[in-house]
Amino acid sequence: MAHTDHTTMRSVLHREIAGTIGLLTDEYDFRAMRRYRSFQFEDHETYLEQVEALLKKRAAQGSHTTVALFDPQEYADFCEGRGLDPDLPSSRARFTAELAATGPTVPYEGQELADLVPVLVDEAVRQATWEYASTLLARVGACATCGEDIGRTAFARASNLLARILDTAPPGSRHLVCSVSGTPETLVAALHVEQDTEGTTQLDEAEVLEFTTVLALGIATRSPGGLVTRATAPGAPDRVYGWRLRGGGLEPLTAGEVFDAYCTDVESGELISPESGVDYCAPPDLGADARSGEAGDEGGEGPGAAHRH
């Protein structure tokens, strides 16, 4: 009887233990792990089938599992930095535990693995973009004349501009995309905003942080770039409008410029048919200082003005 009670208690505890699985999402990463003798999977397809079966089994038992992106090079660096043998399952388990705390993860909620993988990859790209943009922003340094931290000022200004964009947007859901192309490589951040029936705005804080950081980098470095908003509301055509980054601020695009951007093939330069039910229009007015970058933002002058002392 005592043995049965202990077994039952362990089963109950097992259901309350959260777990993380490090997933090799593509064939290239899978082949990289095949160099370790303790990694005994022979083909990627079978590996994915086994992972999915394990996820379903844990879910059926009432256990919560998150899936993390397992990068073989990061794993090798992790083992080297901690003096671990990479050809041990215990080392992979330690690395996966680290991913659970610091890396991109997606909760498994019964979805097909084919649907989960793109979400996980997008999450990894988003985190990498934020980390890269944050590093570049921190390297901008201080204004040579006034000593003000340009990156911090640019972030405050970007936050202020984003708030204005959301406040002036029409009701409904909004999808924002910001791209900055003057840095060593083009950075793109997206932000999806939902609004409930009572008008309350719902935001993903991680998306907001990444989006604001990328916008701030464009402002701080005066890099070419742009910001486009697509607003969707029931019973009305989608509204698409945007701005270009210029001089530490946002310059409105005309309706014609927005139309040209959306209805021109990027590779061939040829015109393509516009989407039905879409209104390409000029953006709402954000105020004169949003364009000039010289006044009105949080913390005083914008970084563009700081460079002109």
Side-chain angles (χ1 to χ4, degrees):
M1 182 66 179
H3 175 73
T4 302
D5 289 343
H6 289 165
T7 302
T8 302
M9 290 166 59
R10 282 195 294 270
S11 298
V12 171
L13 287 173
H14 179 76
R15 290 196 297 270
E16 297 191 18
I17 296 175
T20 303
I21 292 177
L23 182 65
L24 298 161
T25 58
D26 60 51
E27 186 75 36
Y28 178 82
D29 287 344
F30 180 83
R31 287 199 303 268
M33 291 301 293
R34 288 272 295 145
R35 62 184 170 179
Y36 302 121
R37 293 179 60 186
S38 62
F39 186 79
Q40 298 180 359
F41 291 96
E42 296 183 359
D43 67 89
H44 192 227
E45 185 177 349
T46 300
Y47 162 79
L48 291 177
E49 289 174 354
Q50 293 299 315
V51 170
E52 187 159 27
L54 178 59
L55 288 170
K56 289 180 177 179
K57 180 180 178 181
R58 285 180 55 83
Q61 294 172 340
S63 298
H64 175 76
T65 311
T66 56
V67 182
L69 191 68
F70 195 106
D71 184 282
Q73 186 56 56
E74 289 182 6
Y75 171 63
D77 294 341
F78 173 84
C79 291
E80 182 179 357
R82 288 163 176 74
L84 301 174
D85 181 355
D87 201 1
L88 289 176
S90 59
S91 298
R92 291 195 289 275
R94 285 186 60 175
F95 177 65
T96 301
E98 182 95 352
L99 290 177
T102 62
T105 61
V106 172
Y108 177 72
E109 297 172 331
Q111 66 270 52
E112 296 295 322
L113 199 59
D115 296 326
L116 184 148
V117 168
V119 176
L120 179 59
V121 172
D122 286 348
E123 185 69 22
V125 170
R126 191 175 78 179
Q127 180 166 320
T129 298
W130 171 71
E131 290 175 350
Y132 183 61
S134 297
T135 299
L136 293 180
L137 194 61
R139 289 176 180 171
V140 175
C143 174
T145 303
C146 67
E148 188 174 56
D149 187 302
I150 297 173
R152 184 174 298 142
T153 303
F155 190 89
R157 177 157 176 74
S159 298
N160 183 271
L161 288 172
L162 177 57
R164 293 193 205 181
I165 290 170
L166 296 180
D167 287 343
T168 57
S173 65
R174 285 144 282 171
H175 188 73
L176 288 70
V177 177
C178 178
S179 61
V180 175
S181 58
T183 53
E185 60 182 80
T186 299
L187 297 179
V188 179
L191 174 63
H192 189 72
V193 183
E194 289 289 349
Q195 196 173 61
D196 61 25
T197 55
E198 298 179 354
T200 303
T201 300
Q202 299 172 346
L203 294 165
D204 183 310
E205 294 301 327
E207 283 190 5
V208 171
L209 179 59
E210 181 210 347
F211 192 93
T212 307
T213 304
V214 171
L215 178 57
L217 180 64
I219 291 171
T221 59
R222 294 178 163 243
S223 299
L227 194 159
V228 175
T229 298
R230 183 172 186 140
T232 303
D238 286 6
R239 297 183 61 187
V240 178
Y241 52 85
W243 301 261
R244 65 170 57 87
L245 276 168
R246 177 167 291 179
L250 293 175
E251 180 179 274
L253 296 172
T254 65
E257 288 172 323
V258 176
F259 180 88
D260 290 342
Y262 268 80
C263 301
T264 303
D265 185 272
V266 176
E267 295 183 358
S268 67
E270 296 180 357
L271 290 177
I272 56 178
S273 299
E275 292 183 66
S276 61
V278 175
D279 182 13
Y280 303 96
C281 54
D285 183 15
L286 301 181
D289 59 300
R291 181 186 299 195
S292 67
E294 292 184 357
D297 55 290
E298 239 175 73
E301 291 183 310
H307 285 299
R308 292 193 294 273
H309 285 314

